[in-house]
Amino acid sequence: MAATERRHRTAIVRGALSRPVRLAIDLGLVDADTSVFDYGCGYGEDLDELTKAGINAAGWDPHFRPDSSKKAADVVNLGYVINVIPDVAERHKVVLDAWRLSERALVVSARLDSERRNLTNGRPHGDGFVTAHGTFQKFYGQGELRGWLDTVLEVESIAVAPGIFVAFKAEEDANDFLLRTRRRRRLAVRVSRSDRIYDEHRTALDALIAFFGERGRLPAKTEQLELQRLLADAVGSVRRAWRVAVAVTPDVDWDAVAAERRQDLLVELALLKLNRRPTFTKLPETTRHDVRGLVGPYKQATADADELLYSAGNTALVSEAADQSPVGKRLPTSLYVHESALQDLPPVLRVYEGCARWLVGEVDGANLIKLATDKPKVSYLQYPDFDRLPHPVLSRTTFVRIGALDVDERDYSDSDNPPVLHRKETFVGPDYPLKSKFERLTVQEERFGLLGGDTRTIGNLRGWQERLQEMGLTLHGHRVVRSRYGDPRGSV
């Protein structure tokens, strides 16, 4: 039997949503008001789960559901289909067929080169391999997959995760998705002065404070109309209401907040250029108001954003920004930072990391990011139980070589001597809820001499456990205690 005829054997039973569909939901591509068509649905598990969630879903599969009709839908999922098709022309045709059915967006996923390591007894066939089960698998590079999709669909696709891309029919939808899914800083404001007007209209004024904290400006005339009406009825105008808001928040430097939001906007505009930066009219309305309110002419905004983008490609400037970063652990050729503190990095480093994210998308479980400062490379590290374990161990690293448009990974989950993390407080921002707990542990470990001497020996699990055992110590949670038996088990 030919590999083409055996492709149905690649369908798997998961018992849960596939990763592409789960991401589509998490990123707001799919909700209760969205219709979904699963092109090549296999056993139909995604359809079952989507239907249970009240989402209008249908699917077709050439082997398992050949009699189902192909239907147009808001979002079409082409999940791990193209990688099992040996014929290049047929792959091209299938992608275009799925694109034709998608009314708003097409989600495409495929296997990556890093997964080829798991292939045993495979033999080359065409541009892929035939497995021991007689099925065909084509493995892609992340950049290769993006380039092929962009050529076939004639649009700029967007990476949402390794091996998973989304393409939008309308440029406006693509721009909205890119801006909406980027992280924005949040400002926690404490009202520290009493005011009669504020007390009487607290809900509306708190909403105004929250809006300024997020956008760095007051609402434009066409925005937040219900809020503007409430403020006008209560105080007379938005600007009068803002004077009250400023009066009751004397500890907040609102000019500094506006300056930070201007930086946020320039970071967003800089990264938009990676997907062919849109004209002003193609930007979401809120972003257009941000440009007018925080920068001025769009020409000036894009010029400032371009300067920032080019700076992120300058190794010397990246290294200098890492030296001055208020967060993260600086090493000679890198800066490590917890994912919760990314927004606190200097703008140049945020764009640098954003370039890597543009290529790879979101890396599941990555909670530590390593920014190389001697070459264009960003690594996403997964340390499970970062908060709970005093010294979490590394389970997986995803490497993004920006210049080569290349993504690779290394799996430590089966290693008996994986890297182990120390001084967790150095990676997180000042407001991280457990920072003081991490700091107390480090102070204890320094007092016991655990972190002194040749630190290379404690960088991996065995060396760390040996040091604990040599010194007769163990860890109970984030606390060092004398070990009765010198047993270091559970100490990570």
Side-chain angles (χ1 to χ4, degrees):
M1 186 183 291
T4 303
E5 298 168 321
R6 292 172 173 167
R7 68 181 65 164
H8 65 279
R9 293 185 181 179
T10 61
I12 59 175
V13 177
R14 291 181 304 272
L17 285 172
S18 65
R19 187 161 180 247
V21 174
R22 176 173 56 81
L23 277 172
I25 294 173
D26 292 344
L27 295 171
L29 279 173
V30 172
D31 56 28
D33 298 322
T34 307
S35 60
V36 177
F37 184 78
D38 196 359
Y39 193 112
C41 61
Y43 292 109
E45 289 183 291
D46 280 333
L47 300 181
D48 294 340
E49 294 298 321
L50 289 170
T51 302
K52 287 178 187 176
I55 294 171
N56 177 16
W60 170 86
D61 189 274
H63 181 81
F64 296 99
R65 299 196 181 198
D67 297 329
S68 296
S69 59
K70 298 178 183 178
K71 298 179 181 179
D74 296 324
V75 175
V76 172
N77 176 50
L78 189 65
Y80 303 106
V81 171
I82 59 174
N83 48 279
V84 302
I85 302 175
D87 185 71
V88 176
E90 185 184 352
R91 269 181 238 152
H92 189 288
K93 180 181 177 181
V94 165
V95 169
L96 287 179
D97 196 28
W99 180 242
R100 175 184 59 82
L101 295 172
S102 63
E103 296 181 336
R104 189 163 65 88
L106 172 66
V107 179
V108 181
S109 50
R111 304 295 178 191
L112 293 182
D113 285 333
S114 56
E115 299 177 76
R116 191 168 61 193
R117 300 189 188 102
N118 301 323
L119 181 66
T120 58
N121 301 322
R123 56 182 175 82
H125 178 82
D127 61 354
F129 297 85
V130 172
T131 71
H133 299 290
T135 60
F136 175 83
Q137 285 288 348
K138 154 69 176 169
F139 298 96
Y140 289 87
Q142 181 82 351
E144 175 193 7
L145 180 56
R146 179 202 294 274
W148 182 73
L149 288 173
D150 291 359
T151 299
V152 174
L153 302 178
E154 298 182 338
V155 297
E156 298 269 348
S157 58
I158 298 169
V160 295
I164 305 175
F165 289 83
V166 59
F168 289 91
K169 284 292 179 76
E171 183 184 346
E172 293 88 342
D173 287 341
N175 297 329
D176 179 71
F177 177 82
L178 284 166
L179 292 168
R180 179 173 50 78
T181 54
R182 290 232 168 91
R183 306 179 191 197
R184 271 188 164 263
R185 285 183 273 195
R186 293 291 183 263
L187 179 68
V189 177
R190 185 172 64 89
V191 174
S192 56
R193 183 174 293 171
S194 61
D195 182 275
R196 178 185 59 81
I197 297 176
Y198 174 78
D199 291 339
E200 291 178 0
H201 307 286
R202 180 185 297 264
T203 300
L205 286 164
D206 281 348
L208 179 63
I209 289 171
F211 183 90
F212 196 103
E214 181 180 359
R215 312 307 310 186
R217 59 176 177 82
L218 296 176
K221 290 182 179 180
T222 58
E223 286 183 298
Q224 302 285 316
L225 297 180
E226 179 61 20
L227 174 60
Q228 295 202 50
R229 185 188 65 76
L230 290 173
L231 293 171
D233 292 344
V235 187
S237 70
V238 172
R239 293 201 172 275
R240 287 182 183 177
W242 182 242
R243 286 198 289 270
V244 175
V246 171
V248 298
T249 56
D251 300 329
V252 181
D253 185 343
W254 290 108
D255 288 337
V257 171
E260 288 178 353
R261 299 305 172 263
R262 181 182 185 277
Q263 287 184 342
D264 295 343
L265 175 64
L266 293 179
V267 168
E268 292 173 352
L269 292 177
L271 294 174
L272 272 184
K273 187 164 187 175
L274 299 176
N275 283 85
R276 193 184 301 161
R277 184 184 294 134
T279 61
F280 185 71
T281 58
K282 297 291 185 179
L283 290 172
E285 181 184 8
T286 299
T287 305
R288 295 200 300 269
H289 290 310
D290 288 344
V291 171
R292 292 191 184 105
L294 297 174
V295 182
Y298 189 50
K299 184 177 181 180
Q300 181 62 53
T302 55
D304 293 347
D306 285 348
E307 183 178 354
L308 185 57
L309 180 61
Y310 300 145
S311 297
N314 186 317
T315 301
L317 292 178
V318 166
S319 183
E320 182 181 347
D323 290 339
Q324 299 172 356
S325 176
V327 293
K329 182 177 181 179
R330 183 70 164 111
L331 294 178
T333 60
S334 61
L335 178 73
Y336 287 79
V337 63
H338 191 265
E339 57 90 20
S340 64
L342 281 174
Q343 294 305 102
D344 297 321
L345 291 171
V348 169
L349 296 185
R350 290 166 61 196
V351 172
Y352 177 37
E353 189 275 333
C355 289
R357 198 173 293 267
W358 169 82
L359 180 61
V360 75
E362 292 287 334
V363 179
D364 263 0
N367 46 13
L368 218 63
I369 293 89
K370 176 186 177 183
L371 305 173
T373 56
D374 60 339
K375 53 189 171 185
K377 179 181 177 182
V378 176
S379 303
Y380 295 87
L381 293 74
Q382 300 176 46
Y383 282 93
D385 294 318
F386 177 89
D387 284 348
R388 185 179 66 83
L389 295 177
H391 296 282
V393 296
L394 182 63
S395 66
R396 185 183 298 270
T397 299
T398 300
F399 308 97
V400 182
R401 299 177 182 88
I402 299 175
L405 299 179
D406 179 41
V407 175
D408 200 359
E409 64 180 33
R410 181 174 178 183
D411 190 351
Y412 294 88
S413 57
D414 293 328
S415 171
D416 61 354
N417 191 32
V420 61
L421 206 59
H422 301 278
R423 303 181 187 273
K424 292 193 295 182
E425 72 281 357
T426 61
F427 305 106
V428 301
D431 298 328
Y432 197 76
L434 298 177
K435 186 179 178 71
S436 59
K437 183 178 184 178
F438 300 161
E439 288 173 333
R440 287 194 297 271
L441 173 63
T442 296
V443 170
Q444 257 198 315
E445 291 178 340
E446 287 177 334
R447 190 166 67 243
F448 277 103
L450 283 167
L451 304 181
D454 186 357
T455 57
R456 290 175 299 177
T457 63
I458 64 173
N460 289 76
L461 182 57
R462 280 203 299 265
W464 174 238
Q465 290 182 330
E466 287 170 2
R467 177 163 297 190
L468 284 166
Q469 191 169 36
E470 289 167 359
M471 304 187 76
L473 301 170
T474 188
L475 292 165
H476 286 175
H478 285 68
R479 186 165 59 91
V480 182
V481 297
R482 293 288 181 185
S483 174
R484 186 183 236 173
Y485 307 105
D487 183 358
R489 285 178 299 177
S491 63
V492 297

